[in-house]
Structures are given as structure tokens and as C-alpha cells.
Amino acid sequence: MGCRSSTAANVQEHQQEHTNDMMQNMMGAMAQIQQQQIEKQQQMIRDDPECKQLFDRQTELQQRLLAAIQTGDSDAQLQAQTEIIDLQKNPKYMKMMMPDMQVMQQTMTQGFKSNKKRRGTST
């Protein structure tokens, strides 16, 4: 009986370590994706005046929305939200705001590979 509980405890400990490794890799990958996204946005803003205008417009609308929320002005909230939705329909805005799927896939794959290496398994 003591051997079974010891084995179960070892399995549970191993599973917990594996879960912790996976979470750590996932958080690192997400931070890397976020950093790459910020760099992409900054580059697009520097390279394209329209992207700068879109980004400035987003900032303005977010400030208006926050002010409307703070004052309880539901009409102003609705107006700002409507304008934000319209802004999100712009293809350049979406390209600027959305992470590249290829970058996300590469980052996640690298994270999974490093997790397997730490555990001593092959890909």
C-alpha cells in the first residue's frame, strides 16, 4: 500500500512539474509575441503616415470612451464604441493590431520544442 501511494505521489509531482514547465513556456512565448507585436506596430507607425493617423485615432477614441465611462455619459460611450468598431474595419488598422499568425506559430513551436528538450523527450 505504501509503495502505491509513493508511486502516485511521484506521478503527481512529475505531472505538476510538467504543467509548470508548460505554463512557463507559454508565458514566455506570449511575452515574446507581445514584444514582436509592439515592434511591428512601431515600425508601421514610423513607415506609414496612415498607420500613424489610425493609431492616433485609436488613442483619441479610447480617451473619449474612458471619459464617457467616468462621467456616466452613455450616449458618448455608444458614439465612441461605434467609432472604434468603424476604425477596426480598416485593413491597415487590423494588420497593425493583429499579431502575425506565422510569428505566433513559430514562437509557440519553439516553446514546445524547448519544453520537450527539458523533459528529455524528442520531437
Side-chain angles (χ1 to χ4, degrees), residues 75-105:
D75 289 336
Q77 286 179 44
L78 182 59
Q79 180 62 35
Q81 288 170 336
T82 301
E83 291 180 43
I84 288 170
I85 291 169
D86 288 340
L87 181 65
Q88 292 171 348
K89 293 177 184 174
N90 185 306
K92 277 191 179 181
Y93 176 85
M94 290 308 295
K95 183 176 181 183
M96 187 170 52
M97 292 301 155
M98 295 301 293
D100 294 325
M101 289 307 293
Q102 185 177 4
V103 170
M104 287 180 64
Q105 289 172 339

Side-chain angles (χ1 to χ4, degrees), residues 6-107:
S6 175
T7 302
N10 288 340
V11 168
Q12 185 176 8
E13 181 179 338
H14 176 74
Q15 288 174 335
Q16 185 63 45
E17 289 173 4
H18 176 68
T19 300
N20 290 344
D21 284 348
M22 286 178 54
M23 290 301 294
Q24 186 176 10
N25 284 344
M26 187 67 71
M27 290 172 59
M30 294 305 291
Q32 185 178 358
I33 291 168
Q34 185 177 26
Q35 181 60 38
Q36 289 171 341
Q37 179 63 21
I38 290 169
E39 291 169 5
K40 179 183 92 171
Q41 286 175 353
Q42 291 171 342
Q43 186 66 43
M44 288 180 76
I45 289 167
R46 280 191 301 271
D47 293 348
D48 187 339
E50 184 182 355
C51 288
K52 170 125 176 54
Q53 287 178 323
L54 291 167
F55 194 77
D56 291 345
R57 180 76 175 137
Q58 173 195 335
T59 302
E60 174 197 339
L61 291 171
Q62 288 174 337
Q63 291 171 344
R64 281 183 31 207
L65 180 59
L66 181 59
I69 291 169
Q70 290 172 338
T71 61
D73 185 345
S74 60
D75 289 336
Q77 286 179 44
L78 182 59
Q79 180 62 35
Q81 288 170 336
T82 301
E83 291 180 43
I84 288 170
I85 291 169
D86 288 340
L87 181 65
Q88 292 171 348
K89 293 177 184 174
N90 185 306
K92 277 191 179 181
Y93 176 85
M94 290 308 295
K95 183 176 181 183
M96 187 170 52
M97 292 301 155
M98 295 301 293
D100 294 325
M101 289 307 293
Q102 185 177 4
V103 170
M104 287 180 64
Q105 289 172 339
Q106 288 172 348
T107 303

